[in-house]
Amino acid sequence: MLVRLMYASRAVPTLDQDELHNILRQSKHNNPQHGITGLLCYSSGIFIQALEGGRSAVSRLYGRIAADPRHGELILLNYEEIGERRFAGWAMGQVNMGRLNPALLLKYSATATLDPYSVSGKASMALFDELVATASVMC
Amino acid sequence: MLVRLMYASRAVPTLDQDELHNILRQSKHNNPQHGITGLLCYSSGIFIQALEGGRSAVSRLYGRIAADPRHGELILLNYEEIGERRFAGWAMGQVNMGRLNPALLLKYSATATLDPYSVSGKASMALFDELVATASVMC
Amino acid sequence: MLVRLMYASRAVPTLDQDELHNILRQSKHNNPQHGITGLLCYSSGIFIQALEGGRSAVSRLYGRIAADPRHGELILLNYEEIGERRFAGWAMGQVNMGRLNPALLLKYSATATLDPYSVSGKASMALFDELVATASVMC
Amino acid sequence: MLVRLMYASRAVPTLDQDELHNILRQSKHNNPQHGITGLLCYSSGIFIQALEGGRSAVSRLYGRIAADPRHGELILLNYEEIGERRFAGWAMGQVNMGRLNPALLLKYSATATLDPYSVSGKASMALFDELVATASVMC
Amino acid sequence: MLVRLMYASRAVPTLDQDELHNILRQSKHNNPQHGITGLLCYSSGIFIQALEGGRSAVSRLYGRIAADPRHGELILLNYEEIGERRFAGWAMGQVNMGRLNPALLLKYSATATLDPYSVSGKASMALFDELVATASVMC
Amino acid sequence: MLVRLMYASRAVPTLDQDELHNILRQSKHNNPQHGITGLLCYSSGIFIQALEGGRSAVSRLYGRIAADPRHGELILLNYEEIGERRFAGWAMGQVNMGRLNPALLLKYSATATLDPYSVSGKASMALFDELVATASVMC
Amino acid sequence: MLVRLMYASRAVPTLDQDELHNILRQSKHNNPQHGITGLLCYSSGIFIQALEGGRSAVSRLYGRIAADPRHGELILLNYEEIGERRFAGWAMGQVNMGRLNPALLLKYSATATLDPYSVSGKASMALFDELVATASVMC
Amino acid sequence: MLVRLMYASRAVPTLDQDELHNILRQSKHNNPQHGITGLLCYSSGIFIQALEGGRSAVSRLYGRIAADPRHGELILLNYEEIGERRFAGWAMGQVNMGRLNPALLLKYSATATLDPYSVSGKASMALFDELVATASVMC
Amino acid sequence: MLVRLMYASRAVPTLDQDELHNILRQSKHNNPQHGITGLLCYSSGIFIQALEGGRSAVSRLYGRIAADPRHGELILLNYEEIGERRFAGWAMGQVNMGRLNPALLLKYSATATLDPYSVSGKASMALFDELVATASVMC
Amino acid sequence: MLVRLMYASRAVPTLDQDELHNILRQSKHNNPQHGITGLLCYSSGIFIQALEGGRSAVSRLYGRIAADPRHGELILLNYEEIGERRFAGWAMGQVNMGRLNPALLLKYSATATLDPYSVSGKASMALFDELVATASVMC
Ligand SMILES: Cc1cc2nc3c(=O)[nH]c(=O)nc-3n(C[C@H](O)[C@H](O)[C@H](O)COP(=O)(O)O)c2cc1C
Ligand SMILES: Cc1cc2nc3c(=O)[nH]c(=O)nc-3n(C[C@H](O)[C@H](O)[C@H](O)COP(=O)(O)O)c2cc1C
Ligand SMILES: Cc1cc2nc3c(=O)[nH]c(=O)nc-3n(C[C@H](O)[C@H](O)[C@H](O)COP(=O)(O)O)c2cc1C
Ligand SMILES: Cc1cc2nc3c(=O)[nH]c(=O)nc-3n(C[C@H](O)[C@H](O)[C@H](O)COP(=O)(O)O)c2cc1C
Ligand SMILES: Cc1cc2nc3c(=O)[nH]c(=O)nc-3n(C[C@H](O)[C@H](O)[C@H](O)COP(=O)(O)O)c2cc1C
Ligand SMILES: Cc1cc2nc3c(=O)[nH]c(=O)nc-3n(C[C@H](O)[C@H](O)[C@H](O)COP(=O)(O)O)c2cc1C
Ligand SMILES: Cc1cc2nc3c(=O)[nH]c(=O)nc-3n(C[C@H](O)[C@H](O)[C@H](O)COP(=O)(O)O)c2cc1C
Ligand SMILES: Cc1cc2nc3c(=O)[nH]c(=O)nc-3n(C[C@H](O)[C@H](O)[C@H](O)COP(=O)(O)O)c2cc1C
Ligand SMILES: Cc1cc2nc3c(=O)[nH]c(=O)nc-3n(C[C@H](O)[C@H](O)[C@H](O)COP(=O)(O)O)c2cc1C
Ligand SMILES: Cc1cc2nc3c(=O)[nH]c(=O)nc-3n(C[C@H](O)[C@H](O)[C@H](O)COP(=O)(O)O)c2cc1C
């Protein structure tokens, strides 16, 4: 039972570059042992993360992440049983975003800000896909 | 953004009738304030619960439930944005199950035991629907 | 070119029973001359109205209604060219609503209040259809 | 809730080049604050405008435009909830039309004149799309 | 090659009951020889007629009818090759209409008058079908 | 209401090149005033003509053509309400056919002759489309 | 490989009731040995027959029937590989037709005569089905 | 992973009523331990059996059955991953067939004998379903 | 009514190159008079032929071919009413086959021999299409 | 009746390179006589094999392979009646796999190991297809 889960959250105000690297280091260290792959976007205090893997492993990891004090206000954007992964090559790829293009943000939401809280999961996925396609992913 | 989330978990071995009532009492007390509705099945040490409501409210509650020490090994079975609720009439209905009918369990899984961990989310939903249809739901 | 338009608005706080009757009286007097038919729901300070008719007539009337000081914050919920009307028998039927059933409100939205502002036009139409089906319509 | 609205109207006979520039200047100044994007065509005394944005913002702006004395006889051509915008890059692009090609006008209507009043919303959208594709859009 | 053709026309102002009977008598006399069947509606100076039969026979008859001075302004509403007839039992049935129900007229058009000239062929066919279903047809 | 009508007919035996030019001259002179466009094929004594335009204009013109003594035995091949024209650039284009390719004629009918009378309207349209695509159209 | 074949033919002018009985006697005697089932209609000098069975058996029988001097001008109306038979109960059922109802004949063809030669195989099958449904079949 | 497998085989010539009972006794004894359910048809020396259960259990049992010397010439008729079982109530139901109805056999094959070897798996399943529906199943 | 018919047959053992040429000569001489087109494959004593044309002409020719003593065991592979021909350019094209590629034969049947008798009509058509595509057709 | 069967099994621990060559030699020797074609993958002690051919031949061979002591724990992954083969060119091709790419394994399953036992037949087929596409097949 392979699944993909996508959620958004708000980083605590004090989160800095170092803490972000810690999160990615932990992820890249832990995920291969559990067959987890995925991508993490971070911009303007908002995380959007996609997690792929066995159903139990993903559910367990999501539980752990949900309890992590470095972010809060998690909302589930999408969850589905899948036939195949899309990010099989990344233990946890980092989507490298500079300043976001306002026209891209406007394309899927009512204002030119990254706000997964006010749009549907499908719109967030579409935006996520465009970000991934146009930004560079670092292993 | 209305969503429905369904998950399964294993109760801690010591969970008794009283604790179960506590859970239901809490749920019925809390859920209306957050616009949450749903159903809870319990049998042979396994919970299957469906939660409906606004996306943030459901995500937040699921985070809280995931951290509840009275059960563990949560797996997400299904999650989707919905057009309308199916359990709008229950703050948290209790599906009243006596001994489960083996033929019904066999219908959706490889052995005659309630084991959402080894079947797809779709199969669990189908079983859940039949349980709800044939058992009585208590408000 | 036959169309159907549906919108929601908030009545001014001072709107009373008399003013509501005035609106309906005006509507029933004016609409037949322009081939307009429809239904008007009013509850807890919120209007939801469906207008059917020729495209120009409906557009013109909507412009007039939008400028009416007895309500504000109009949002268009739905608009489409139609093959046939659904409310051909009512110059402007009044949907007679007592206290709204909370389970019905929950069915299509995140909280048990009538709030077309936070749900999709499709959900409002579904709610509207159930209201019409279960309430009585007065000519 | 992202929507796209399209309407047509007739300019007042006295509308001149200056007034047209005023409208565009106002639009480009106001729209970004409300997350509105879109295009405006003007030819032979007829406006066709597409507005995209959050549902409330678009509804509110349409109400204001409907009351603007510089044009009249508005008809709604199309309105729908959308997954993504098509004109995300223009606060209000101006479709720069010289003399319209009669064959293009004939393609979607019974006579070789720009007359959105006598054709369906779908035909107007198709014509609009061809105009946009073949004319140049100025930011 | 079996076809069905439907058209509308305006009777000359002087057309009276006698002339109408002449038309029907001619039709019932001629049609069986050419394998033609169909229905004729007449109301408020407007004819709507459906003709079924072999393609040549229907085309020839339509040419003759188009030249008949007892009516004018013919518009073709619908024409299609069909697998089977719908009015096989009537050489030319007369749809017996008293005063038309305004709600029925409104259902398919912008005003409560019988005006096939301002609606699509599909709408006229739908109206025609309801007239046939609710009125009595005389052989 | 834009429509396309297609019919076939047999020219009177005496029809010569001059008369054909007369027909085309009349068509090109009259059609633009009524928003009519289309194509005319002539071969081996058979006309196939496609007429596009407003429904009334096309119906009226077809009535006039049906009464024209220069041809006879008209059969309607196809008639439909359309979203857009296909021959918007020709007031009445003349499809310039030399000797017809027998394989092309065989492709859609039982014998290698141009005989719209013995095939379905759909087959005639397909043949017509190939003729148009492979022959040259003169304005 | 189970198939169903349907054809029509014209009986020789001299065919009488006795000869018809001979054909049916032969059919009922031979068909069971070859796994053939079917129905035979005879009216106004025209045969329409449906044959079901293994592909070789049906092909062989059709060859034999095609050479039978008691009829001629055979045309194949339909032939298809089928999943299941429709006439499994009849070695060769005789469709017992008195005078044919003209409205039924008109329903599928241009004139009120039984003429499978001038209509499509699909129309003949539809007529055949109605004959079978309304007439009595004799074993 | 729930699957359903269907196969046919020929019993050895010497198989008698006692041996058949042995097979069923073994099946009813063994299957519940492995979560297997299904039905067994026997007629004229031919077995058709449907087996449902977990993928490994069914594959293992099929391997054992394939090696059983009481029958031979096994052919797989159908195999698919299923969402739910159809024979959840029978450890191994026995389809009780007297003499088979020839018309039923003919319905799905070229001759009136039970011969799964010469028809598609789909046809065998359809026949099997009708047998089950019309015969009685003994637990 | 245009149709396409496809059948297979076995040549008599004594059929030689000369006789094959006779058949083709006759076909090319006769077919154009009846509007027949098609292709003939011959290999290893097996004919597969596709015939296209008017329904009567094809039915008549098939009757004549079925009675031809130069081959036997005809089986109908496919028959359908068609919108357009596929072999309009060949009075009777000869598919020029050297030794057949075993992998191509295996692709559509259980053994590497040309055996239309043991496969479905659809498989024969697919094989036929590949033969035609990869072999050369001689006029 | 052409079918394709796919299964997985575990080789006995002692299976070495020589034994593997024996299996392939036997397969290439036997299969052509029975019209069998297919591919065999071997990696990390796991076989995945696809067999194509006539239904009886494939069923018989599968029975023989299932009893072969050189492997065990067979599970059927897929079985279907097919219109055409995909491996018609290989009596039994050997998929030549070096060390498997972990990202490819992760793509279709929860961990980076080749484990057809824990994924659906469809996922195994997809993985198999990618292996075949990216590895080299040796005749
Ligand atoms: C936004 C975010 C994303 C995270 N993603 C992952 C992840 O993909 N894998 C992971 O193991 N931990 C992830 N973590 C960290 C977990 O919450 C938790 O701290 C970590 O799994 C504990 O690992 P440790 O046992 O190595 O300390 C993430 C945390 C945050 C805030
Ligand atoms: C299986 C299970 C289901 C639960 N369902 C709900 C629920 O629907 N709503 C809820 O508020 N709490 C639910 N809880 C309890 C929460 O985990 C948590 O204890 C509770 O929300 C805390 O509420 P309190 O603040 O009233 O103590 C559930 C717990 C378990 C173990
Ligand atoms: C919620 C609401 C709904 C209304 N509906 C209609 C209507 O259906 N028809 C109508 O003519 N006026 C309607 N009105 C009133 C118009 O805004 C306006 O006052 C009226 O058309 C003016 O008509 P009068 O010229 O008869 O005064 C509505 C007003 C409100 C606030
Ligand atoms: C055809 C037409 C299109 C217009 N489009 C817009 C627009 O896109 N955005 C906008 O703010 N105003 C638009 N306006 C102007 C508004 O009607 C109104 O005058 C303006 O919003 C008032 O803005 P202000 O507060 O800056 O004066 C349009 C007016 C017309 C006649
Ligand atoms: C509205 C209308 C409908 C008609 N329908 C038919 C008809 O169905 N069949 C017919 O033969 N004539 C019909 N006619 C009459 C023909 O136009 C024409 O007068 C008639 O066919 C001449 O027939 P006669 O040769 O018997 O005089 C109709 C005329 C009108 C005005
Ligand atoms: C085959 C054929 C096609 C014709 N096509 C047209 C046409 O497209 N437009 C047109 O105005 N007249 C057409 N005509 C001529 C009309 O029948 C009629 O003579 C003409 O409209 C009268 O025009 P006038 O008033 O200019 O003399 C056609 C005639 C024939 C025989
Ligand atoms: C219209 C028609 C239908 C026939 N149908 C059948 C049939 O279903 N089965 C059959 O064996 N013969 C049928 N025959 C007769 C065959 O053409 C042929 O005479 C017969 O099979 C020879 O059988 P015998 O060998 O018993 O003389 C039919 C003949 C005609 C004219
Ligand atoms: C037609 C047929 C169907 C059978 N079906 C089953 C079955 O459903 N379950 C089963 O355990 N054995 C079945 N068997 C018997 C097995 O082949 C085998 O003999 C049996 O599983 C051995 O069981 P034992 O260990 O109890 O002797 C079947 C045998 C035949 C010939
Ligand atoms: C395999 C095969 C295919 C044939 N194809 C045709 C054909 O396409 N057209 C044709 O006229 N005759 C064809 N024939 C020949 C006819 O059976 C018959 O002999 C011929 O039509 C008689 O023609 P004739 O009158 O010129 O002698 C074919 C014969 C065989 C054996
Ligand atoms: C994984 C595996 C795949 C096999 N595939 C085939 C095969 O495709 N064809 C075949 O004839 N034998 C195959 N065999 C061998 C058979 O099990 C059996 O040993 C062989 O058919 C006996 O052939 P023989 O009669 O030539 O000894 C396979 C064996 C194994 C373990």
Side-chain angles (χ1 to χ4, degrees), chain F residues 21-74:
Chain F
H21 286 152
N22 281 346
I23 291 172
L24 283 159
R25 215 195 29 240
Q26 285 176 300
S27 306
K28 281 173 207 156
H29 178 262
N30 296 340
N31 291 351
Q33 309 165 32
H34 307 295
I36 302 275
T37 56
L39 294 181
L40 180 68
C41 288
Y42 178 69
S43 174
S44 340
I46 302 256
F47 287 113
I48 303 185
Q49 188 176 26
L51 301 170
E52 295 173 336
R55 185 172 59 184
S56 313
V58 168
S59 296
R60 205 176 325 118
L61 175 57
Y62 179 67
R64 219 161 61 222
I65 292 174
D68 192 312
R70 291 171 287 188
H71 64 164
E73 288 183 56
L74 282 81

Side-chain angles (χ1 to χ4, degrees), chain A residues 10-13 15 19-20 22-23 26 47 67-72:
Chain A
R10 292 192 206 280
V12 290
L15 190 117
E19 202 54 85
L20 186 58
N22 281 347
I23 290 172
Q26 284 175 302
F47 287 114
D68 192 313
R70 290 171 288 189
H71 64 164

